[in-house]
Amino acid sequence: EYYKKVLDLDSTSVEAIACIAANYFYADQPEVALRTYRRLLQMGVTTTELWNNLGLTCFYSSQYDMALSCLERAVGMADDSSVGTVWFNIGLVAVGIGDVALAHQAFKIASNVDANLAEAFNNLAILELRKGNVEQSRNLLHTASYLCSTLHEPSYNAALLNFKLGDFQQAYSLCQRALDAYPDHSETLELRKQLRAAFATL
């Protein structure tokens, strides 16, 4: 509402339009967000963030070819502080369209250019596990957990991996760490329940 009032006063406020577009995107209305972001393009705005957000919005609007095209433009404009995030988003789009090779390459680049991007290490770990590289996956999950203790996915994924490998004690410990970060994560709660049942039979 605040940004709509700003637009009533200044219909060319880039910040207000961008915030309204982001609000539509997070309200699960990517098509409306896409129209709003395109308005910024028509106004002559071309930034890494705009192309990155356009790419994600196109992806969630099922315009996959446009998504990668926008993200490629974002990479071309990105500086050192944002290029890792753009490559990470290319990886997400690649996973979504089933291009595992591109996803692997994108997450690898993202983790190389931004050594603090825990999400890239987590997703790379999953792809390495799919290739059968268990130790490499485990190391990447450890790195992701170390980089961002508030991110629950690496701990959950490591717990699940240890559970499947039969290391129930380590799996339980990792479940607890994941639940510390996200107490209501249903998959972690279910895994902890399975582990408790396994301990009861020992």
Side-chain angles (χ1 to χ4, degrees):
E1 286 300 311
Y2 169 77
Y3 291 108
K4 288 182 179 179
K5 289 178 183 174
V6 170
L7 284 181
D8 287 340
L9 299 172
D10 178 8
S11 63
T12 62
S13 172
V14 172
E15 181 182 347
I17 295 169
C19 288
I20 288 170
N23 189 51
Y24 282 128
F25 178 81
Y26 289 112
D28 203 21
Q29 297 178 35
E31 293 83 5
V32 180
L34 187 58
R35 286 197 309 268
T36 311
Y37 281 128
R38 284 185 176 155
R39 180 174 171 192
L40 289 173
L41 283 179
Q42 291 167 348
M43 292 169 56
V45 177
T46 56
T47 63
T48 302
E49 293 77 14
L50 175 58
W51 286 110
N52 184 59
N53 291 345
L54 264 169
L56 289 175
T57 305
C58 286
F59 174 68
Y60 287 104
S61 299
S62 301
Q63 298 182 25
Y64 305 122
D65 54 337
M66 288 296 298
L68 285 174
S69 174
C70 290
L71 289 168
E72 286 171 6
R73 288 186 95 162
V75 165
M77 301 176 75
D79 60 14
D80 290 346
S81 68
S82 59
V83 71
T85 301
V86 177
W87 275 108
F88 175 77
N89 289 332
I90 290 172
L92 289 180
V93 170
V95 166
I97 63 174
D99 190 339
V100 177
L102 176 59
H104 189 273
Q105 179 185 15
F107 291 138
K108 195 146 185 89
I109 292 170
S111 62
N112 284 334
V113 298
D114 185 351
N116 294 313
L117 197 56
E119 295 89 345
F121 286 97
N122 178 69
N123 291 4
L124 192 56
I126 300 306
L127 295 178
E128 287 297 337
L129 188 58
R130 283 183 163 185
K131 291 178 165 182
N133 300 329
V134 174
E135 274 313 304
Q136 190 170 0
S137 177
R138 189 179 283 186
N139 291 337
L140 289 165
L141 289 170
H142 177 74
T143 300
S145 290
Y146 174 78
L147 289 173
C148 186
S149 60
T150 59
L151 190 66
H152 74 281
E153 288 94 341
S155 296
Y156 167 72
N157 290 331
L160 188 58
L161 175 59
N162 280 284
F163 176 72
K164 290 181 178 180
L165 294 174
D167 188 347
F168 294 168
Q169 190 61 46
Q170 181 66 14
Y172 191 82
S173 172
L174 289 162
C175 267
Q176 288 304 117
R177 190 182 310 165
L179 289 170
D180 288 344
Y182 183 8
D184 298 327
H185 186 240
S186 60
E187 288 90 349
T188 306
L189 291 168
E190 179 59 33
L191 180 57
R192 185 177 67 177
K193 183 178 169 185
Q194 290 178 22
L195 285 163
R196 286 179 174 165
F199 288 142
T201 62
L202 295 177

